[in-house]
Amino acid sequence: MTEEPKNNETQNKPKLSIYWIYGIIALIFIALQFYSSGSNPEEISINDFKVNMLQKGHVQKIVVVNKETVEVFIKPSELGKGRYPNPPTGWGMANKPQYYFRIGSIENFEKQLSETQQDIPLEQQIQVYYETRENYFGTIISYLLPIILIVGLYLFLLRKMAGGNGGGQIFNFGKARVKLFDKENNTKIDFSNVAGLDEAKVEIKEIVDFLKNPQKYTELGGKIPKGVLLVGPPGTGKTLLAKAVAGEAHVPFFSLSGSDFVEMFVGVGASRVRDLFRTAKEKAPCIIFIDEIDAIGRARGRNPNFNTNDERENTLNQLLTEMDGFESNSGVIILAATNRADILDKALLRAGRFDRQIQVELPDLNGRIEIFKVHLRPLKQLAEDVDVEFLAKQTPGFSGADIANVCNEAALIAARKNKKNVSKQDFLDAIDRIVGGLEKRTKVISPKEKKIIAYHEAGHATVSWMLEHANPLIKVTIIPRGQALGAAWYLPEERQLSTTDQIFHEMCATMGGRAAEQVVFGEISTGALNDLERVTKQAYAMVGYFGMSEEIGPISFFDSTGQSEYMFTKPYSEKTAEKIDQEVKRLVKLAFDTACEVLTKNREGLDKLAQKLLEKEVIYTEDLEQIFGKRKSSQTEENSQSETTEEQQNQAHE
Ligand code: ADP
Ligand code: ZN
């Protein structure tokens, strides 16, 4: 995610060039049109010619042009009187015809002509000339037009691909599409704009120091790193960090995306890399930021079956060469961002290239508080009840970009309600909206459907409440939102490991919706699609990845290198495949049966819950406690023992 281009290197050249040429051509056309129409003869009918001109003896001569038109020359003595009082344009020129008409066929015309002149002696008959005229202009145009069109189209495409703004870019094709953020036109971003990310900031501050006082390090013989890789999920502030480095070090900042290098044409990517480094060296010390470097940096030669990646590999090779080529103390530091460092080519990560990696993680509770503080700054009118800590607790799993989005959305929601300030409720609405899409209270749902939905969601709630390892529920709603007809929010434990029991109980809770339909109505609906998909995937992961099935044993078919992405063959035999499928089926069935069992046992509570949901549409933990009593769970004890900050994680689902 990058911001609007503040400045484009090649933007402000005067745009003489092609538009002038277009203009001149158009002018020529218009002029020609005028010139030739200036002395055009008047069209008449053949009868008019015969009766009024030929038989009266006014005609001096006629010229048959191309066997299709006949030009009529009137005797100069007749002009200006009688039938020809108002001479049309071009009258005065004796060598120009005054009239013309078209004929069907030349033979026919000649016959008519001689019939009309029957009585006239031969030597007094009018002279007939024949002429073949080439329309040179038309012929030339008909040859040239296709060529002009093709060339025009080609130029147009070139310009498009060169990222074109204006005609000046046609020949900058091989140049990199770089956005330059300079000292002058940098909307000042520094570390105060980057919240949280404390570890990352410590490391990246070192880079700033390298750029500011290189001697300090080089004097001792140290080498300044050439490349730093920022690794983390999207929206966590990698671009922001890179910009902050440039802003703090007061150096130019070149920003571009990995996909900018990859083009249809062979060699363009490589030439863009060359160009980028040349420009950067001129501006050193400076920072080059390559977003989404995986677009070019994926491991090479992964996919020998297809040769489609040649261009990308060339680009990558060029990048490697350039990085080796420049001195490590030349003052150019390359920052690159990616979501996945594991799929990058190992050559990129070698010493002397991107040898430093900085992890940029999703923010934790404290991080989110900090980020909220940053993004609440621009909101002018905050209501008293807005509590940053509360908001941060409501947004587990949100990235910095999501939080920025929440703040903006909250302001929009408040404005839509014509409110003077932005209140807590607006933020909650914004969060719900970002998690689940817009509420659709207008969606038409029949009472029967509503009952099914209520039981479905109550089923999730009941099962997750009753099974001790499942995540406890914090909120259930049957207000349709986005694609979903209802949703349940859970509060997952902060844990790095999951045991078989934990995963299985979660699967049961996910199955709770379908199970409730089965238990209560004896018939099932399509509403469980999403649940089933999740459970199935989870079961495959348990069996195929985590080695959690006794039948298959502690074997994992997971491939962390991502190599198998392109493979058509599976790393196991048909027999094993069959076994895996059976195991998955067994697990899913077991989860469903367990859920059904739990619900049958707690049928009374389930009914009460569904009833309450139908009444209130939204219910919370307190309502569940009222019905089922306090939850006996492994988790609450653990949580009170270890004093980790309570971390909620919403899992909107369905
Ligand atoms: P990416 O990691 O995908 O490059 P960006 O750096 O483009 O993410 O972040 C997008 C936006 O999210 C930023 O412009 C900023 O508004 C917000 N943001 C992300 N992380 C943070 C953070 N740690 N502090 C403040 N704002 C952040
Ligand atoms: Zn469900």
Side-chain angles (χ1 to χ4, degrees):
M1 291 176 208
T2 39
E3 287 178 6
E4 289 290 294
K6 296 284 171 338
N7 174 39
N8 191 314
E9 269 197 299
T10 48
Q11 200 173 34
N12 301 320
K13 283 184 193 163
K15 290 172 194 149
L16 189 96
S17 73
I18 201 114
Y19 295 111
W20 283 102
I21 302 177
Y22 291 154
I24 290 169
I25 292 177
L27 272 182
I28 291 176
F29 265 105
I30 294 168
L32 275 175
Q33 207 59 34
F34 264 111
Y35 173 76
S36 49
S37 71
S39 55
N40 267 357
E42 189 182 326
E43 183 166 7
I44 52 175
S45 75
I46 188 160
N47 277 338
D48 195 10
F49 166 73
K50 278 195 293 198
V51 177
N52 294 329
M53 299 177 185
L54 190 57
Q55 287 181 343
K56 297 209 171 123
H58 295 166
V59 179
Q60 184 185 27
K61 65 166 185 180
I62 57 174
V63 180
V64 182
V65 180
N66 292 347
K67 297 185 184 169
E68 31 186 58
T69 34
V70 178
E71 293 180 346
V72 183
F73 291 75
I74 303 292
K75 285 180 186 155
S77 55
E78 300 295 330
L79 286 180
K81 60 185 186 189
R83 191 186 180 288
Y84 323 102
N86 295 316
T89 23
W91 222 223
M93 297 180 226
N95 57 349
K96 285 253 169 190
Q98 287 81 19
Y99 299 97
Y100 78 100
F101 56 87
R102 293 174 210 275
I103 52 176
S105 81
I106 186 79
E107 291 82 14
N108 215 352
F109 172 68
E110 277 166 353
K111 218 168 92 204
Q112 283 184 33
L113 196 65
S114 53
E115 273 167 20
T116 321
Q117 301 195 86
Q118 258 168 8
D119 316 328
I120 307 175
L122 199 61
E123 63 278 6
Q124 280 177 29
Q125 288 188 1
I126 59 152
Q127 302 146 324
V128 181
Y129 300 85
Y130 293 88
E131 239 183 73
T132 322
R133 274 185 217 156
E134 291 262 7
N135 183 354
Y136 289 108
F137 191 68
T139 326
I140 292 174
I141 283 291
S142 70
Y143 278 115
L144 278 185
L145 202 62
I147 300 177
I148 293 176
L149 277 182
I150 291 171
V151 171
L153 197 69
Y154 182 69
L155 289 182
F156 176 73
L157 284 181
L158 270 192
R159 194 127 55 93
K160 277 255 131 150
M161 270 177 294
N165 38 2
Q169 285 245 330
I170 305 175
F171 303 106
N172 293 344
F173 190 35
K175 295 212 174 153
R177 266 182 283 170
V178 194
K179 282 179 216 132
L180 174 64
F181 298 84
D182 242 337
K183 267 166 249 155
E184 298 87 44
N185 51 31
N186 198 355
T187 41
K188 188 86 173 112
I189 288 183
D190 54 31
F191 285 133
S192 73
N193 296 85
V194 187
L197 302 176
D198 292 331
E199 297 94 14
K201 266 201 220 161
V202 171
E203 292 196 54
I204 209 120
K205 274 186 177 144
E206 219 179 33
I207 309 284
V208 176
D209 214 27
F210 288 145
L211 286 166
K212 272 187 171 162
N213 325 300
Q215 316 85 329
K216 189 168 119 193
Y217 297 87
T218 47
E219 265 167 18
L220 293 175
K223 270 195 192 138
I224 292 171
K226 288 180 186 173
V228 179
L229 198 60
L230 300 166
V231 187
T236 43
K238 299 184 289 294
T239 316
L240 202 64
L241 262 182
K243 274 189 200 156
V245 173
E248 294 272 335
H250 304 292
V251 297
F253 177 73
F254 293 94
S255 161
L256 77 173
S257 166
S259 51
D260 288 345
F261 288 117
V262 188
E263 287 280 353
M264 280 160 61
F265 288 126
V266 176
V268 171
S271 96
R272 285 195 176 155
V273 174
R274 265 194 304 275
D275 179 63
L276 170 66
F277 277 82
R278 196 178 47 241
T279 329
K281 272 181 234 164
E282 282 163 14
K283 290 242 180 189
C286 67
I287 289 177
I288 299 178
F289 177 66
I290 307 178
D291 208 353
E292 291 165 45
I293 195 170
D294 27 324
I296 43 170
R298 265 169 184 269
R300 285 165 298 179
R302 158 156 313 157
N303 182 15
N305 301 328
F306 307 108
N307 279 328
T308 47
N309 290 326
D310 275 1
E311 170 62 3
R312 212 200 60 224
E313 287 180 13
N314 287 340
T315 312
L316 175 56
N317 286 335
Q318 186 66 38
L319 183 66
L320 295 176
T321 319
E322 290 287 346
M323 286 192 79
D324 286 343
F326 73 84
E327 297 290 307
S328 64
N329 297 333
S330 68
V332 181
I333 291 188
I334 306 173
L335 299 178
T338 177
N339 312 341
R340 300 183 60 185
D342 53 329
I343 59 164
L344 289 184
D345 201 292
K346 296 287 171 286
L348 261 182
L349 307 177
R350 244 187 36 203
R353 289 161 184 166
F354 290 104
D355 42 9
R356 288 201 172 199
Q357 285 191 23
I358 298 181
Q359 298 289 335
V360 184
E361 295 295 346
L362 284 176
D364 60 7
L365 185 64
N366 290 326
R368 290 199 301 274
I369 292 178
E370 295 304 315
I371 297 175
F372 260 113
K373 280 182 190 158
V374 168
H375 289 286
L376 286 179
R377 258 186 248 153
L379 298 188
K380 302 268 154 30
Q381 310 289 342
L382 279 183
E384 300 270 288
D385 62 355
V386 176
D387 172 12
V388 178
E389 199 168 327
F390 172 79
L391 290 179
K393 277 197 176 150
Q394 297 301 314
T395 49
F398 276 41
S399 68
D402 291 332
I403 292 176
N405 200 0
V406 166
C407 294
N408 186 46
E409 192 73 33
L412 295 184
I413 289 174
R416 198 177 306 142
K417 294 184 196 154
N418 294 324
K419 296 207 311 202
K420 285 272 169 327
N421 53 22
V422 190
S423 69
K424 178 172 149 185
Q425 191 54 43
D426 299 324
F427 280 96
L428 289 178
D429 287 349
I431 291 168
D432 281 357
R433 172 161 189 194
I434 282 163
V435 172
L438 205 58
E439 274 188 15
K440 289 199 185 129
R441 285 183 182 273
T442 50
K443 205 173 204 161
V444 182
I445 294 174
S446 72
K448 179 156 183 256
E449 278 174 333
K450 199 153 189 169
K451 198 171 168 197
I452 295 177
I453 297 168
Y455 266 100
H456 180 108
E457 297 303 336
H460 286 306
T462 312
V463 176
S464 67
W465 195 260
M466 287 301 156
L467 294 178
E468 59 174 333
H469 294 302
N471 293 321
L473 192 114
I474 47 173
K475 179 178 168 187
V476 195
T477 135
I478 55 167
I479 302 169
R481 184 183 278 286
Q483 287 296 314
L485 297 171
W489 275 260
Y490 300 93
L491 181 136
E493 252 176 292
E494 273 262 303
R495 62 172 183 235
Q496 304 302 322
L497 296 172
S498 299
T499 64
T500 318
D501 273 351
Q502 283 163 343
I503 299 185
F504 184 68
H505 281 181
E506 266 158 44
M507 281 168 64
C508 295
T510 316
M511 274 301 198
R514 161 67 58 104
E517 291 175 31
Q518 174 69 40
V519 169
V520 177
F521 303 103
E523 95 185 324
I524 52 179
S525 76
T526 53
L529 169 67
N530 204 294
D531 299 339
L532 299 185
E533 183 190 338
R534 281 195 2 191
V535 168
T536 313
K537 280 195 181 140
Q538 199 134 38
Y540 269 108
M542 280 177 86
V543 177
Y545 292 165
F546 301 124
M548 282 177 168
S549 133
E550 273 174 28
E551 190 68 21
I552 305 294
I555 287 179
S556 174
F557 302 109
F558 186 69
D559 178 19
S560 60
T561 60
Q563 300 254 357
S564 61
E565 262 171 48
Y566 297 107
M567 286 212 274
F568 296 117
T569 53
K570 299 209 157 74
Y572 40 77
S573 68
E574 285 301 317
K575 232 179 178 172
T576 314
E578 221 165 81
K579 266 195 206 164
I580 292 177
D581 291 343
Q582 270 167 11
E583 270 300 282
V584 168
K585 205 167 150 189
R586 188 183 66 82
L587 273 172
V588 174
K589 182 87 175 39
L590 191 63
F592 183 69
D593 290 345
T594 313
C596 283
E597 201 181 302
V598 171
L599 290 179
T600 323
K601 251 194 240 161
N602 298 282
R603 178 62 198 267
E604 208 181 317
L606 176 68
D607 287 338
K608 272 192 211 154
L609 200 60
Q611 206 49 48
K612 207 160 207 169
L613 254 179
L614 281 172
E615 277 164 29
K616 290 167 62 179
E617 293 201 321
V618 188
I619 56 174
Y620 297 92
T621 321
E622 300 83 65
D623 304 282
L624 279 152
E625 257 169 23
Q626 244 179 37
I627 295 173
F628 295 112
K630 273 248 180 287
R631 182 168 191 261
K632 68 163 177 25
S633 116
S634 53
Q635 206 181 313
T636 32
E637 294 151 31
E638 267 171 34
N639 265 9
S640 51
Q641 280 168 7
S642 61
E643 287 198 346
T644 49
T645 40
E646 182 193 17
E647 186 95 334
Q648 302 177 0
Q649 215 155 54
N650 295 345
Q651 290 183 345
H653 89 287
E654 196 147 305

